[in-house]
Each structure stands twice: as structure tokens, then as C-alpha cells.
Amino acid sequence: MVNSERTAVPEKASREGSAPDKRLIVSIHDVSPTFAVPIAMLAERIEAILGGPRFAMLVVPDHWGAARLDRDPGFGRRLREWADAGVEMFLHGWFHRDASAHQRTARALKAKYMTAGEGEFLGLDADEAENRMRAGRDMVEQAIGRPVAGFIAPAWLYGPGAHAALKACDFALAEDHFRVWQPRTGAIVARGPVVTWASRSPARTASSLAVAAVARTMPDWMPTMRVAVHPGDVTKDSLLTSIDRTLRTLAERRTVSRYADLVRDRVTGQVVA
């Protein structure tokens, strides 16, 4: 649980040697009653490294149709505590499960190889995507007592219907593998890939560890670095070690920030992409 005594961390607090114009954005994905224990573990771990609750949570309203947020008041209260402490809350799909029959080859390949059947919004038409977005937003906002920060599709995968629904629902922010943007205008507020880890297989784990190692040593030429963790990451010590090392290394060189800071950067004319 978030320690309320640590919520007064300044918005732009950074460590000695960090660059004020280089940002680090951190998020926890798949936040659901299904993963209550690993989510709490990750939140505590990240907060300790970053020096406060300066990260985002991506909330799934009904994970795989078996964990409705509105039927677990205890987890809902915990979400509100995190939100009250300053954690940004994003809507992260509805089911997080892809049940679409993909006809186009490109989408079928994405659905098969880029995610374990969890690219929920890749094959939805605009009407169904909008219905799920609106219902999901209502449920999450009821739990946290404030507007969500935006919408991020499961597995960062969007089809044409999802893009149309984003605009219709007027979400403030959205994100995919390579950018963060404002759906209302299409304005991009950050570019660059997300550093993340994989626990599904030894090969994927090894690959993600290698990518994270490169991210820790590469020059700081990108204004914004995004790091995302998932509940499955707690199942492997090698992943947790890599996550800790990556967060500490990047936080020493960058300003730990929120997604809202990217919007402020754009408004004030700072270079963010």
C-alpha cells in the first residue's frame, strides 16, 4: 500500500546528475483483482526506487471476464488510495482478452505473435470498441473517484475501430509501443519504444533481459524513456533484478515524471519527441 507520508515528493524531484529535460515514465500494466498481490508487490518496489508514487497503473475492468472491478470493493478502495496518493490511472481495455476473428493477415500475425491472445482492441469495430471504452471508463472512475488519465490498449495493439473510438470517447492520452499521443488532436507528446519484460517463455525472458541491458547503457538521446512492468514479472528473480537495475539506472539520469508532464511539456513548448 502507498505510504501516505511519502506523497509529498515534488513533481520534478530528481537525483543528483539527472537531466531535467530527460524524462522517465513508469507504468504497471494489467491492474486487476486477479493480480492484487503481484500488483501490490510491484507498486511497493517501484515506489521505493523512484522515491514516491510517481508512476501509472493501467486498470482492467473485468480481466478475462472473471474479475469485475465493481465486484471487489476492497481492491477498488486500494485503487482509490493509490490514485489519491498521486498514481495516474489509465483504462486498459475491458476484458484484456482478444476474442476477435482476424481476417487480415497483418492483424492475424500481430494477434498471434505479439501477444498471448490479449490484444483485445486489435479486431474490434468502432461501435464495440466505444462501448467497451465507455463502460470501462465509468467503472474505473467510479472506483478511483476521478477521471482516468487516458486509455492504453492491451498489448498496445489498436485496430481502426479502436482509433475511431478513442476520438469519440475524447480520452486525454493514449499510448502504443512507439508513441504517446492525444487522440483529440493526434498530437504526439512522446516517441520511442517501451522497455518491458516477458515471462511467458525462457526465450522471451532472455530477449527482454538483453533489451533492458541495452536500454541501461544507451546514450540519453531520447527525451522520454518509458518502462512498463507486468504482474508476471514477479515470478522470475532475474526479471525483478533487471527491473530494479533498470529503474535505478534511468532514474539517476532522468527526471522521474508522470504522463501529465508530457502534456505540460507540449503546452509550454519544450521538446518532447
Side-chain angles (χ1 to χ4, degrees):
M1 185 176 295
V2 171
N3 185 341
S4 60
E5 295 180 356
R6 300 171 61 182
T7 60
V9 177
E11 189 73 27
K12 289 186 178 264
S14 57
R15 305 184 184 189
E16 184 177 354
S18 66
D21 60 335
K22 305 295 183 182
R23 295 197 179 279
L24 171 63
I25 305 286
V26 181
S27 60
I28 302 176
H29 284 226
D30 305 349
V31 175
S32 159
T34 300
F35 305 116
V37 173
I39 292 299
M41 292 171 59
L42 288 169
E44 182 177 3
R45 200 178 194 101
I46 292 170
E47 182 179 350
I49 294 172
L50 301 185
R54 291 176 292 155
F55 54 89
M57 286 185 166
L58 278 56
V59 185
V60 184
D62 188 13
H63 189 269
W64 281 57
R68 282 183 65 106
L69 180 60
D70 59 356
R71 294 176 185 168
D72 193 323
F75 190 77
R77 286 192 296 271
R78 196 158 205 192
L79 278 185
R80 183 170 291 211
E81 290 173 356
W82 276 316
D84 288 345
V87 175
E88 288 179 303
M89 295 288 173
F90 283 80
L91 175 61
H92 192 41
W94 174 262
F95 293 123
H96 206 286
R97 182 178 184 179
D98 180 11
S100 301
H102 300 281
Q103 302 300 323
R104 294 179 57 183
T105 302
R107 284 191 214 161
L109 290 173
K110 282 184 179 181
K112 182 176 181 180
Y113 293 108
M114 293 183 67
T115 177
E118 296 193 317
E120 178 186 4
F121 279 75
L122 182 61
L124 297 181
D125 62 34
D127 288 341
E128 181 60 22
E130 182 176 345
N131 288 340
R132 295 189 191 189
M133 286 180 186
R134 292 190 183 279
R137 179 166 59 188
D138 288 347
M139 189 181 295
V140 174
E141 290 182 347
Q142 181 66 31
I144 65 177
R146 70 194 68 219
V148 296
F151 176 88
I152 299 175
W156 294 287
L157 294 176
Y158 302 77
H163 281 291
L166 277 174
K167 291 184 179 180
C169 292
D170 200 29
F171 283 102
L173 285 173
E175 173 187 88
D176 63 19
H177 282 97
F178 298 105
R179 61 180 179 143
V180 182
W181 78 97
Q182 297 173 294
R184 186 181 302 115
T185 63
I188 297 173
V189 298
R191 297 181 189 272
V194 184
V195 179
T196 189
W197 289 263
S199 60
R200 293 205 311 266
S201 70
R204 289 179 181 270
T205 295
S207 177
S208 66
L209 292 174
V211 170
V214 170
R216 292 194 298 270
T217 59
M218 67 185 298
D220 289 325
W221 57 269
M222 284 193 297
T224 303
M225 288 285 290
R226 290 176 290 149
V227 173
V229 299
H230 295 77
D233 296 340
V234 307
T235 64
K236 295 186 176 181
D237 289 340
S238 61
L239 295 181
L240 289 174
T241 299
S242 177
I243 290 168
D244 288 355
R245 187 175 300 163
T246 301
L247 290 178
R248 288 195 178 97
T249 300
L250 294 178
E252 287 174 356
R253 306 199 309 254
R254 293 173 170 271
T255 300
V256 179
S257 305
R258 296 180 171 89
Y259 283 88
D261 294 320
L262 301 177
V263 177
R264 280 192 288 270
D265 285 349
R266 179 173 179 80
V267 171
T268 58
Q270 294 186 36
V271 177
V272 294

